[in-house]
Amino acid sequence: MISILFVCLGNICRSPMAEGIFLKILEREHVLNRFEVDSAGLLDYHEGELADSRMRFHASKRGYNLIHRSRPVVKADLDKFDWIIGMDDQNIRGLKQLASTAQLSKIHKMTDFCIEINADLVPDPYYDGDQGFENVINLLEDACEGLYKAIIAGKL
Ligand code: 4NP
């Protein structure tokens, strides 16, 4: 079993979207049973909530059904998951503060796996309009394909 945790700040926009996209890739590749995928946030403000309604609206337009409920990341996650993927440098710093030295190598930035799009973060769309949410999905679709390829190739 390969386990992946996507992490952002609130766990209501970027990381549940990444989780939904990655799950769809696993479904397409018929390998869902080989992976455990989850998402979490560095903040607990939205604990128990579904993804932001704007994120779910834009996701549904591309065929993604986001059913995850927000939860905060906990230290045990750093032990449990094989790969922990943050969305920006602030997420990476927060995750590194929770990690032991041995766990640091599990932490990666989502955009490091982009194939087509040149970006160094997945921007927080919370205060943006429609285009911000579309941009997040574009970035995450590209980066999730790259992440899947990297895992399958044993590059991580
Ligand atoms: P996310 O976006 O990290 O992509 O889920 C955010 C949503 C809410 C907040 C921050 C980021 N917030 O501070 O409430």
Side-chain angles (χ1 to χ4, degrees), residues 1-6 15-24 26 31-32 34-40 68 71 80-81 83 144 147 151:
M1 186 69 83
I2 300 169
S3 59
I4 305 171
L5 182 69
F6 294 103
S15 61
M17 189 68 241
E19 179 187 349
I21 291 169
F22 201 80
L23 285 171
K24 194 114 183 181
L26 298 181
V31 291
L32 260 177
R34 289 175 52 195
F35 285 79
E36 178 177 354
V37 184
D38 196 2
S39 65
H68 177 81
R71 71 165 181 92
K80 177 180 172 185
F81 288 89
W83 290 295
C144 281
L147 175 62
I151 290 172

Side-chain angles (χ1 to χ4, degrees), residues 4 82-83 85 105 108 113 146-148 150-156:
I4 305 171
D82 301 321
W83 290 295
I85 313 292
S105 62
H108 304 270
F113 301 100
L147 175 62
Y148 178 73
I151 290 172
I152 292 303
K155 282 190 197 153
L156 281 180

